Amino acid sequence: MQEQPSSPARAVGVGPWDINLAGIGIALPDKRLHNNDLTAWMDTSDEWIFERTGIRERRLGGTTSGLSIEAARAALADAQVDASTIDQVILATTSPDYMLPGTAPAVAHELGLTCGAFDLQAACSGWVYGLVVANGLIQQGMNRILVIGAETLERMTDYHDRGTGILFGNGAGAAIVDRDTTGAGRLLSWDLGSNGKHIHILYSEHGGKMKMDGREVFRQAVTVMQESATASLERAGLTVDDIDLVIPHQANVRIVEAAWKRIGFSMEKTAMVLEHTGNTSAASIPLALHDALANDRIAKGDKVLFLGFGAGMTWASAIVEWNGTSG
Ligand code: COA
């Protein structure tokens, strides 16, 4: 029998690919729930919550489709492109409007689109998963993809629970991801992962509220953030010092600090918005990206690391060389 050639080594997640984040938009509902508000019905304090999480307030109200549409319109305006040029809508969410259908088709419809539209459920890692999927579709011939992260976690949060009630809020962030024809904007590497062994450290039954083993989530989060960041850095042939800005999932500033101690990143090179948003799951990374751009923290040519983790557990990281919007 003829010997089979050994399969070639797979260079999974190793770029570069020519893409550009051409526009970013966000949406936050007006209603604010401050830590002090929670003390009216919960045995807690602003000091305790802020000290343990870095959160002071979170936003309530809106719908996942409504927030998505607002963020998408802002991203289109930022990129100065018409909605009709979008080839695909990817909506990362863990709190869709309905069990069935997905929320993405409604968002596409409001934007006047009949292109492909699907929800992506990878919990708080969802937007980074969406970015990687968008890159894959662009490599298959698409030119422009709308990647949204949007949540109304209020609907699955028990604000009387001292573990979860202090953390979660609503919000949305959207990015226009384009094929880059200039050679300047590039996805350098990515890493996606999951470990379903940990489903029950953070989950919600159909129609129920979230249940969480906070300590275990904290512990696992620090580990997977280190592993995923290291994988993306190695695949891009970069070191910690080469990264100009890290945009982590905004769950808890203490988780980020503990992970950074292991990896070697500094808080000065980190984008954080959770003090005023709480944990917005799939929306949190584009919300922090928008804030970083608004504060001129990203320049053309910068290397930006997105680093997500969440229920599942899932994790996702990606390194982008920036050629996009200036915010
Ligand atoms: N306010 C005041 N005190 C609280 C409290 C609250 N909201 N929640 C718990 N406590 C108290 C407990 O009663 C306990 O007191 P004791 O030592 O006198 O018994 C003490 O604080 C420690 O309780 P514990 O439940 O172990 O809290 P913790 O230190 O683990 O902090 C979290 C709780 C939720 C802040 C923390 O576990 C966390 O952030 N985990 C990660 C969660 C997360 O990010 N999830 C989303 C991932 S995508």
Side-chain angles (χ1 to χ4, degrees):
M1 214 175 93
Q2 210 180 341
E3 213 172 279
Q4 294 292 319
S6 60
S7 57
R10 293 188 309 149
V12 174
V14 179
W17 298 273
D18 293 334
I19 64 163
N20 178 31
L21 277 69
I24 309 294
I26 64 163
L28 287 166
D30 292 336
K31 188 176 169 194
R32 294 162 188 263
L33 181 68
H34 194 277
N35 291 345
N36 288 326
D37 300 323
L38 289 168
T39 63
W41 59 82
M42 194 193 283
D43 181 14
T44 190
S45 66
D46 177 41
E47 296 71 34
W48 194 96
I49 299 171
F50 187 69
E51 165 61 29
R52 297 287 177 115
T53 69
I55 298 168
R56 286 246 189 246
E57 59 178 355
R58 64 292 290 145
R59 301 296 186 95
L60 304 182
T63 61
T64 297
S65 57
L67 293 169
S68 295
I69 292 159
E70 191 182 333
R73 290 204 169 114
L76 288 162
D78 188 35
Q80 298 179 16
V81 296
D82 194 79
S84 61
T85 61
I86 298 290
D87 295 321
Q88 176 77 42
V89 176
I90 301 174
L91 171 52
T93 186
T94 202
S95 48
D97 284 356
Y98 299 101
M99 279 298 301
L100 174 81
T103 305
V107 173
H109 176 69
E110 276 300 315
L111 297 173
L113 298 172
T114 53
C115 63
F118 66 90
D119 289 11
L120 189 160
Q121 159 54 300
C124 307
S125 315
W127 186 83
V128 185
Y129 267 72
L131 178 63
V132 174
V133 172
N135 174 56
L137 291 171
I138 287 171
Q139 303 319 313
Q140 292 188 67
M142 287 189 176
N143 284 311
R144 177 163 294 149
I145 302 186
L146 175 58
V147 184
I148 307 168
E151 305 282 6
T152 43
L153 296 173
E154 171 189 359
R155 290 183 297 124
M156 14 185 334
T157 303
D158 176 358
Y159 287 101
H160 288 80
D161 177 71
R162 292 206 302 171
T164 54
I166 60 173
L167 300 178
F168 299 104
N170 300 352
I176 307 296
V177 182
D178 278 0
R179 174 188 298 279
D180 188 286
T181 51
T182 68
R186 305 187 306 162
L187 175 64
L188 301 178
S189 64
W190 54 262
D191 172 62
L192 304 181
S194 73
N195 187 348
K197 188 172 83 179
H198 297 301
I199 284 174
H200 288 107
I201 63 176
L202 179 53
Y203 72 101
S204 167
E205 311 256 1
H206 285 297
K209 304 289 187 198
M210 276 186 271
K211 296 193 167 63
M212 181 179 76
D213 177 346
R215 293 218 155 180
E216 193 55 22
V217 170
F218 195 115
R219 197 163 27 238
Q220 295 299 334
V222 172
T223 303
V224 300
M225 284 176 95
Q226 179 187 16
E227 288 175 357
S228 193
T230 303
S232 277
L233 285 169
E234 282 176 6
R235 288 169 192 182
L238 299 174
T239 68
V240 164
D241 294 335
D242 294 321
I243 299 298
D244 297 290
L245 189 71
V246 191
I247 308 188
H249 169 46
Q250 312 280 303
N252 180 329
V253 73
R254 302 280 163 253
I255 292 178
V256 175
E257 287 168 348
W260 279 197
K261 231 179 241 175
R262 292 188 184 189
I263 306 168
F265 290 134
S266 68
M267 290 307 286
E268 288 71 41
K269 284 189 177 182
T270 304
M272 296 300 296
V273 289
L274 94 167
E275 180 174 349
H276 298 292
T277 62
N279 182 341
T280 56
S281 192
S284 89
I285 289 179
L287 281 170
L289 169 60
H290 181 269
D291 184 75
L293 289 165
N295 288 294
D296 294 326
R297 297 187 65 194
I298 306 178
K300 193 168 172 165
D302 277 0
K303 293 182 184 65
V304 179
L305 169 67
F306 300 110
L307 180 53
F309 62 90
M313 290 196 72
T314 60
W315 57 90
S317 59
I319 301 176
V320 167
E321 194 164 317
W322 197 259
N323 180 35
T325 169
S326 55

